């Protein structure tokens, strides 16, 4: 346990501002974005990599378990302490000093405490951005530790793909600082160690700084709602769009009728964009974008999109039942309201799944077929990033049903969905939310023993101290 | 040493076709693409992952060192045996059975023995390709093991970015097969283990199968030679092109006057494309590409490129001294002749360096300034992938000079260039050729001890047996 001596020593290392012990002040650091609340022994708020290192040395030597916390916007209880009251939270929220733009390298070396929105606001005047598009507004360290994906993955990839370097503190007795921030785009001189720390929830080290790839800001965007002729036509439609549009295609999001309806029902500001108000069974939000504005006499981007859709429409495949181009802001506002809508339509049990792209619709069909018998009170409100195989598979139980507050029911439902997604469809039980306490059991269940053994070995090599909410191996 | 009992046992495992012992037949497996020749005890040619595993079990149990070999087109002696005659080569050249295109997932599951050219020829009719553009024609396993880059890195990234999965055999007593071929694009359920095997020269495991991301084939390409006003204008020019063209920009290659002249002198089929035959000090080959053909009345891609260049030309930055759009095939033929030209202009001492992009020209300037004093007989014939920071820094010594055959001279020159590139400019001593025996000493010299210790630990976790030409840790 943390006693007064520990507090005094850690205050000596981090200063008064670097320590939080008052229960009221710790509350925000103890409560996850969506799930549960734990209890922290203390919250550490270092301001530099060196302070992180010094704090880690003290904690490792004194057997104090550390939970790294960044923006604390995650959905799997990866950044909050457990309920024992014995773990220390080490927050990155004061690490917002370094912000070095390298315009020639199209990269940014930044402290891990900046929020995504801050980063992109600061970059806007340079015509650049960090191209990860999320509903939440995490800090950079957590984005790297969870390898966040988002809606423009199809064009720009995930955080892993856009990370050129990191600085990371290991939980060993030396508080080793690994400086992997050379920022080179092409470098093959051994193991690419940063990969071990990306997407592993802070259990192998605390990412304190990063070098990020930046992309030129799109200057034009065009969006359309596409109604596929049937679920079986979704993939041919995606293929047709990709073949023609290549790197222009920046989003291809699928939305089920139930998800649209939930949003329309519960987010009053939304307009129903569909003819006669008839929501189709499934709709695709497609976006294309480019970095320049056409000169006079050149084709607008809306015209490009319309021309491509006309070509698909006139083709032999009959993939489209309907399609209409519209203003990007309006079209995305429905997409962005889905989470909110689903959350308000009952007790939400959310899954962050992914599949080979061709398996998404088959999985959804299987669920629609089997759910009524297996869990009759559940409504499926799925939507997702069809272009990258991700599905936010949201299940809603009426608030007044007995199951809504039945933990065992939720557990049975989770086990059942994961078994089909992972075992039958070779899918992932965590597409873009990574692992936390929330899905630790599924890591344990679905990871082959050899991989778990290797992970355990890797933990001993990197951070033998108690670090992170996830147990690897 | 390999005796008759070993040969009999391995023949039992791999069959007659799976074993080569005759000296004449082993020659091709013993000699590297550019450097040196070693001596193999035996060459193993398994046809399936299971055969690789069985052969590995036998070799590990009997203490036989294994050198994985793929296309054997590498330039750093990473795929050939040393001169002891005690190492066995395990070649992937018969592993060309599985070739499963997943059109919906835009991915290919293939055995590691296919050559890049075979892969792309087979994919052409589907309008897809594996977007790694190289001078050589390696097999897939070696491409992954060295994480090859190439000329379109700027747009498509390296092999790492385009690898969705691998199957890998570990050099342990069980010949463990790690099946990481789910092919998911988005998956964050633990350590992304494939990253450990990509770019590490086969020392941590033998990649036997892979799942590759495919991209839609460009249907239109436009190219231009750009002459920057000076070396200092190269980066502003790149920035101007990127800002305007974004993902359209598929190559931005820099070529020095000496490299152009070497190609023109030694490759007779080349035409001199420059006005009055005057080769500029430095020239950029820029390429843009897109996946569709314009309809009638729409702007051609040449017109797009011309319009962007006009905008840059008319801008305030005066980055351009000259620019002309021309046929892609002709423009690339000069670029592709550079290696050949440089090779024939004297004794070639080649470096595969990379830098933060903004440091490339400064490094080249430093070399031009210091070389005449340090190594007066050396001519610098650099060219490279400016868009990703890579530089093929080629040095040529007259064939008739005493230094041309002086090993100690070459060693001094290498040490000197690397010291400046790595220590003064924080560059990489191997941008895209990875590590082999050829540059093992520089890994040992320039890798921090902690990283070497971690690599050694990782080796013990994955492949404790003797595997690969590179010693990690």
């Amino acid at each position: 346990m943390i006693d007064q001596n520990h507090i005094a020593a850690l205050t000596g290392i981090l200063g008064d501002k670097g320590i939080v012990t008052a229960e009221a002040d710790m509350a925000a650091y103890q409560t996850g974005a969506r799930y549960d609340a734990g209890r922290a022994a203390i919250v550490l708020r270092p301001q530099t990599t060196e302070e992180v290192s010094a704090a880690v040395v003290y904690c490792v030597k004194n057997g104090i378990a550390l939970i790294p916390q960044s923006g604390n916007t995650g959905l799997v209880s990866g950044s909050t302490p457990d309920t024992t009251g014995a773990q220390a939270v080490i927050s990155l929220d004061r690490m917002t000093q370094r912000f070095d733009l390298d315009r020639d390298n199209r990269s940014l070396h930044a402290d891990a405490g900046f929020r995504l929105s801050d980063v992109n606001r600061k970059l806007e005047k340079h015509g650049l951005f960090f191209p990860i598009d999320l509903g939440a507004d995490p800090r950079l360290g957590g984005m790297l530790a969870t390898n966040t994906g988002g809606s423009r993955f199809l064009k720009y990839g995930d955080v892993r793909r856009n990370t050129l370097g990191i600085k990371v503190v290991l939980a060993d007795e030396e508080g080793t600082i690994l400086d992997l921030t050379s920022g080179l785009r092409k470098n093959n001189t051994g193991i690419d160690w940063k990969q071990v720390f990306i997407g592993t929830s802070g259990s192998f080290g605390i990412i304190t700084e990063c070098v990020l790839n930046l992309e030129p800001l799109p200057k034009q965007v065009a969006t359309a709602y596409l109604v596929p002729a049937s679920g079986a036509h979704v993939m041919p439609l995606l293929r047709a769009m990709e073949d023609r549009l290549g790197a222009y295609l920046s989003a291809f999001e699928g939305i089920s009728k139930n998800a649209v309806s939930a949003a329309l029902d519960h987010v009053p500001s939304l307009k129903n964009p569909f003819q006669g108000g008839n929501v189709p069974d499934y709709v695709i939000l497609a976006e294309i974008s480019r970095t320049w504005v056409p000169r006079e006499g050149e084709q607008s981007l809306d015209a490009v999109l319309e021309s491509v859709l006309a070509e698909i429409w006139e083709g032999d495949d009959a993939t489209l039942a309907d399609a209409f181009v519209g203003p990007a802001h309006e079209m995305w506002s429905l997409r962005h309201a889905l989470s909110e809508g689903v959350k308000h339509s009952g007790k939400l049990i959310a899954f962050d799944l992914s599949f080979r792209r061709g398996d998404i619709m088959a999985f959804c069909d299987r669920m629609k077929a089997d759910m009524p018998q297996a869990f009759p009170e559940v409504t499926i409100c799925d939507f997702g990033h069809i272009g990258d195989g991700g599905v936010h598979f949201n299940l809603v139980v009426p608030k007044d049903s007995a199951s809504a507050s039945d933990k065992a029911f939720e557990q049975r439902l989770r086990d059942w969905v994961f078994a089909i997604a992972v075992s039958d469809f070779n899918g992932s039980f965590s597409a873009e939310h990574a692992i936390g306490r929330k899905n630790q059991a599924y890591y344990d269940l679905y990871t082959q023993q050899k991989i778990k053994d290797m992970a355990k070995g890797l933990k001993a090599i990197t951070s033998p101290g108690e670090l992170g909410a996830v147990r690897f191996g």
Side-chain angles (χ1 to χ4, degrees), chain A:
Chain A
M1 289 299 293
I2 302 266
D3 60 22
Q4 288 307 316
N5 290 334
H6 289 322
I7 294 174
L10 287 162
T11 307
I13 291 166
L14 299 176
D16 286 338
K17 283 189 183 163
I19 301 286
V20 182
T21 52
E23 187 53 43
D25 298 336
M26 290 202 296
Y29 299 93
Q30 298 180 130
T31 312
R34 194 183 287 174
Y35 299 113
D36 68 18
R39 223 153 53 77
I42 188 171
V43 176
L44 310 178
R45 300 176 67 215
Q47 217 175 2
T48 64
T49 298
E50 290 67 32
E51 284 188 2
V52 171
S53 171
V56 164
V57 168
Y58 185 85
C59 290
V60 169
K61 287 191 174 167
N62 289 280
I64 299 168
L66 284 165
I67 303 293
Q69 182 175 104
S70 180
N72 195 18
T73 58
L75 297 176
V76 292
S77 302
S79 61
T80 45
D82 63 20
T83 53
T84 61
Q87 297 180 318
V89 168
I90 184 159
S91 168
L92 302 176
D93 63 353
R94 287 174 76 224
M95 297 199 60
T96 54
Q97 315 274 305
R98 182 164 188 172
F99 192 94
D100 293 341
L101 174 63
D102 181 339
R103 195 61 187 73
D104 282 340
N105 203 46
R106 211 165 13 85
S107 65
L108 170 70
H109 187 148
D111 278 346
F114 283 101
R115 285 201 187 269
L116 176 58
S117 61
D118 291 332
V119 169
N120 281 337
R121 198 173 45 244
K122 280 165 181 275
L123 291 172
E124 199 174 358
K125 62 173 173 286
H126 303 284
L128 296 170
F129 77 131
F130 182 50
I132 309 295
D133 181 66
L134 300 174
D137 189 18
R139 297 181 194 275
L140 294 176
M143 291 185 74
L144 271 71
T146 53
N147 186 29
T148 54
S151 294
R152 266 85 179 196
F153 184 109
L154 179 60
K155 176 164 182 169
Y156 298 107
D158 53 10
V159 165
R160 185 184 301 282
R161 172 165 143 192
N162 289 285
T163 300
L164 301 179
I166 59 171
K167 198 175 277 185
V168 63
V169 176
L170 304 183
D172 59 17
E173 294 216 338
E174 295 76 37
T176 299
I177 299 171
L178 288 185
D179 186 350
L180 309 170
T181 59
S182 69
L184 300 176
R185 291 177 171 272
K186 211 176 204 174
N187 180 23
N188 283 293
T189 53
I191 299 157
D192 187 1
W193 277 103
K194 67 176 177 290
Q195 306 296 348
V196 165
F197 304 97
I198 296 174
T200 48
S201 309
S203 288
F204 294 88
I206 304 171
I207 295 171
T208 58
E209 298 175 35
C210 52
V211 183
L212 304 176
N213 170 57
L214 307 176
E215 291 290 330
L217 268 175
K219 295 194 189 68
Q220 268 206 322
V221 171
T223 49
Y225 282 134
L226 317 180
V227 181
S230 77
H233 289 86
V234 170
M235 282 302 135
L237 186 54
L238 172 58
R239 288 161 50 164
M241 296 285 281
E242 284 188 337
D243 287 353
R244 285 167 178 83
L245 290 159
Y248 261 30
L249 190 63
S250 43
F252 192 90
E253 304 273 295
I255 317 175
S256 68
K257 182 177 187 170
N258 285 346
V260 175
S261 301
L264 292 174
D265 286 351
H266 297 282
V267 183
S269 61
L270 281 182
K271 278 198 306 194
N272 185 324
F274 302 101
Q275 202 154 24
N278 296 317
V279 179
D281 281 347
Y282 202 78
V283 62
I284 303 290
L285 169 56
E287 180 193 86
I288 68 174
S289 54
R290 68 179 174 194
T291 48
W292 81 87
V293 183
R295 292 178 162 203
E296 205 168 302
E298 290 173 20
Q299 208 181 17
S300 77
L301 201 58
D302 276 356
V304 170
L305 184 52
E306 269 159 10
S307 144
V308 165
L309 290 174
E311 204 180 303
I312 295 172
W313 185 267
E314 291 154 14
D316 295 333
D317 300 338
T319 50
L320 274 175
D322 193 10
F324 52 101
V325 174
H329 178 75
E330 275 181 30
M331 291 196 147
W332 276 102
S333 68
L334 172 59
R335 169 67 184 80
H336 288 144
L338 297 176
S339 291
E340 189 68 9
V342 166
K343 221 184 306 180
H344 284 91
S345 39
K347 152 87 176 180
L348 171 64
I349 301 172
F351 296 81
D352 164 39
L353 307 175
S354 72
F355 302 92
R356 282 189 179 235
R357 305 194 310 187
D359 290 333
I360 298 175
M361 301 313 291
F363 170 79
C364 290
D365 286 349
R366 164 85 178 271
M367 286 284 120
K368 272 180 230 160
D370 291 1
M371 191 70 79
Q373 278 218 302
F375 296 91
E377 59 273 73
V378 167
T379 306
I380 304 173
C381 298
D382 60 301
F383 57 93
H385 316 295
I386 305 301
D388 60 50
V391 183
H392 293 295
F393 193 71
N394 292 301
L395 303 183
V396 177
V397 182
K399 278 227 169 78
D400 53 10
S401 104
S403 306
S405 54
D406 179 354
K407 289 262 176 203
F409 169 86
E410 180 173 340
Q411 190 63 51
R412 277 200 315 278
L413 178 58
R414 285 198 181 276
D415 292 350
W416 181 76
V417 170
F418 281 134
I420 296 171
V422 179
S423 300
D424 294 0
F425 283 87
N426 291 310
S428 167
F429 64 84
S430 189
E432 55 181 9
H433 296 167
I435 311 179
R437 277 191 308 280
K438 193 76 190 168
N439 48 16
Q440 173 84 54
Y442 300 104
Y443 174 84
D444 296 343
L445 180 63
Y446 290 118
T447 308
Q448 46 174 308
Q449 191 55 46
K450 177 69 184 179
I451 294 284
K452 284 196 267 192
D453 293 345
M454 285 166 55
K456 192 171 175 177
L458 191 59
K459 176 85 176 118
I461 292 169
T462 53
S463 283
E466 283 187 74
L467 182 69
V470 181
R471 295 182 317 277
F472 283 99

